[in-house]
Amino acid sequence: MTENTDVIVVGGGYAGVMAANRLTRRGGVKVTLINPRPAFVERIRLHQLVTGSDDALVDYQQVLAGGVGLVVDTVTRIDAAGRRVTLASGSSLHYDYLIYAVGSGSAAPDMPGAAEHAYLIATLEEAQRLRPVLDAAPASAALTVVGAGPTGLETASELAEQGRKVTLVCGKVLGPYLHPRARRSVAQRLAKLGVTVLEGPGATVTGVTHDAVELADGRELPSDVTIWTAGFGVPDLAARSGLSTDALGRLLADETLTSVDDARVIATGDSAAPSDLPVRMSCQSAMQLGPQAAETVLSRIAGKQPKNFSVGFFGECISLGRRAGVVQVARKNDAVSRAYYEGGRSMAMLKEAVCWSTVWQLKQEASRPGQLDLWFKDRQRQKVLRAKAGKAPADAGQAA
């Protein structure tokens, strides 16, 4: 098939937009992006939406290539055999190839009372629901943030910088991914902001009520507003459509990001599980996986064998309010490195530059598809795959 090829991209996040834009480098390809929202969501700014420093939205006209058609709707089922998708509006669309880029969201809290009384923050709608609640809460209200990953750290810091009374419930450790020295830096900044940090075996949430958070060690923390940032989940579209998924619901694929069930379906972003060894859910990996999923489609259209994907990480960049941050450098395989930078306003400015650069990369891919290739390459993945297959020992530095 060399012309008039219909490619549908399901999901308009970082990976989906990058994939859609990359597809326009070849003539004769009709690209349709299906997304439930009419605007691009900067998920890495959702904590800023909650505190009012940014709306976390970008007009799709700014980041999508002119040749990409946008359909604002939700895919409810993928008919791989018939090569059609069914939409919530009741209509359906045909495809020759489909890129599955539905992304991730909040994992459903499984603690008693959490679903009823805690506010999530991983999606635009969740953040928009929380914003007026915080606006209406008095300045003296007790705010509890559950989860000490990047989202939890950034949310707690933003709120505390505004003078709010914040308790951060970490579970076992503050910033599990961080190097101990970077963790100390973060702890010092949180202390300066007045955040109460609870960590250790007893600092695990066992229940949430309308005005309290219950911990494993028996403590009951007064909480007027509880914000849940612990964990990510993925939509169940693939599983509902009869496609193979991993235990979390990510679409199982091979190393070319091609579904193990159908060569016409390609997985990318947070919802992909290549070789059942997915990379970390992050904007950083999505920006790399999106174009490579598109390249797999373009290779198949051209009758060529697609290349294996490669994703490399540079580290973690976390804002700690508008005036401070921490940057930790990682090995390309996402293992924690001892090399890291910490600091005040300069690190906050660097994090802002990172957020800005992701939108810039989307725009660049839209205007010059195929010209942007800035990601780092992890050369260790094949060693890990061989070890997983029992063929060779794994590199001890690999982060699974």
Side-chain angles (χ1 to χ4, degrees):
M1 188 176 298
T2 59
E3 57 182 344
N4 300 323
T5 304
D6 291 319
V7 182
I8 286 178
V9 180
V10 183
Y14 295 102
V17 171
M18 288 293 280
N21 288 343
R22 178 61 65 92
L23 287 166
T24 63
R25 71 184 299 186
R26 179 186 176 92
V29 177
K30 179 184 176 184
V31 185
T32 302
L33 178 72
I34 304 175
N35 192 66
R37 307 177 189 91
F40 175 77
V41 177
E42 289 189 85
R43 280 189 61 185
I44 55 178
R45 290 193 188 274
L46 286 178
H47 63 286
Q48 291 182 253
L49 186 159
V50 165
T51 56
S53 63
D54 199 284
D55 65 4
L57 293 173
V58 177
D59 193 317
Y60 269 123
Q61 291 185 355
Q62 297 184 37
V63 296
L64 271 184
V68 177
L70 174 64
V71 174
V72 181
D73 210 329
T74 300
V75 176
T76 58
R77 185 175 182 275
I78 299 168
D79 177 7
R83 295 184 200 164
R84 301 192 71 84
V85 295
T86 303
L87 307 180
S89 62
S91 61
S92 65
L93 295 174
H94 168 269
Y95 67 83
D96 294 304
Y97 291 92
L98 180 142
I99 294 183
Y100 187 82
V102 297
S104 62
S106 299
D110 59 358
M111 295 299 157
E116 297 82 6
H117 303 297
Y119 291 86
L120 306 177
I121 195 177
T123 68
L124 175 68
E125 292 76 16
E126 290 167 352
Q128 289 176 331
R129 175 172 172 253
L130 174 58
R131 172 74 185 278
V133 173
L134 290 172
D135 288 345
S140 59
L143 310 180
T144 304
V145 177
V146 179
T151 302
L153 296 176
E154 292 185 329
T155 303
S157 301
E158 292 270 343
L159 291 169
E161 195 174 65
Q162 294 184 340
R164 294 290 196 161
K165 180 183 177 183
V166 181
T167 298
L168 178 63
V169 180
C170 304
K172 294 181 180 180
V173 64
L174 172 72
Y177 177 79
L178 296 175
H179 184 276
R181 290 175 59 194
R183 186 175 297 119
R184 285 195 294 271
S185 177
V186 171
Q188 290 169 3
R189 173 61 180 172
L190 292 174
K192 186 175 181 179
L193 290 171
V195 177
T196 299
V197 177
L198 303 180
E199 58 181 330
T204 300
V205 176
T206 57
V208 179
T209 67
H210 73 284
D211 62 357
V213 172
E214 301 165 352
L215 301 183
D217 60 9
R219 282 179 290 177
E220 186 172 284
L221 310 175
S223 181
D224 296 303
V225 181
T226 301
I227 304 170
W228 194 277
T229 71
F232 288 105
V234 299
D236 65 350
L237 175 60
R240 282 191 285 110
S241 300
L243 297 169
S244 298
T245 66
D246 69 0
L248 194 62
R250 291 170 290 208
L251 183 63
L252 286 177
D254 63 18
E255 288 296 286
T256 70
L257 302 177
T258 302
S259 165
V260 297
D261 301 308
D262 192 320
R264 301 276 180 156
V265 176
I266 315 300
T268 192
D270 290 353
S271 53
S275 302
D276 203 13
L277 188 68
V279 297
R280 175 161 56 94
M281 292 183 180
S282 67
C283 165
Q284 190 175 168
S285 55
M287 294 290 287
Q288 302 174 64
L289 287 169
Q292 294 181 77
E295 291 293 348
T296 289
V297 172
L298 295 174
S299 292
R300 294 198 185 282
I301 292 173
K304 300 178 181 179
Q305 174 62 32
K307 295 180 180 179
N308 289 351
F309 86 96
S310 180
V311 169
F313 291 83
F314 76 85
E316 191 83 76
C317 189
I318 301 172
S319 65
L320 300 171
R322 295 294 87 205
R323 296 185 291 274
V326 63
V327 175
Q328 175 177 277
V329 179
R331 297 188 180 99
K332 292 177 183 178
N333 63 357
D334 202 22
V336 176
S337 170
R338 290 184 178 274
Y340 77 98
Y341 302 89
E342 58 178 287
R345 190 164 185 83
S346 62
M347 294 299 103
M349 293 173 65
L350 180 56
K351 174 56 187 287
E352 178 61 28
V354 169
C355 293
W356 174 88
S357 72
T358 58
V359 175
W360 176 83
Q361 290 178 64
L362 296 174
K363 293 178 179 179
Q364 285 293 109
E365 193 65 43
S367 62
R368 302 171 61 201
Q371 299 300 307
L372 195 64
D373 208 6
L374 297 179
W375 49 83
F376 304 94
K377 303 297 184 183
D378 170 21
R379 306 300 182 188
Q380 302 300 313
R381 182 176 175 86
Q382 292 307 311
K383 294 182 180 180
V384 177
L385 289 172
R386 287 195 296 271
K388 184 180 178 183
K391 297 179 180 179
D395 186 329
Q398 173 71 28

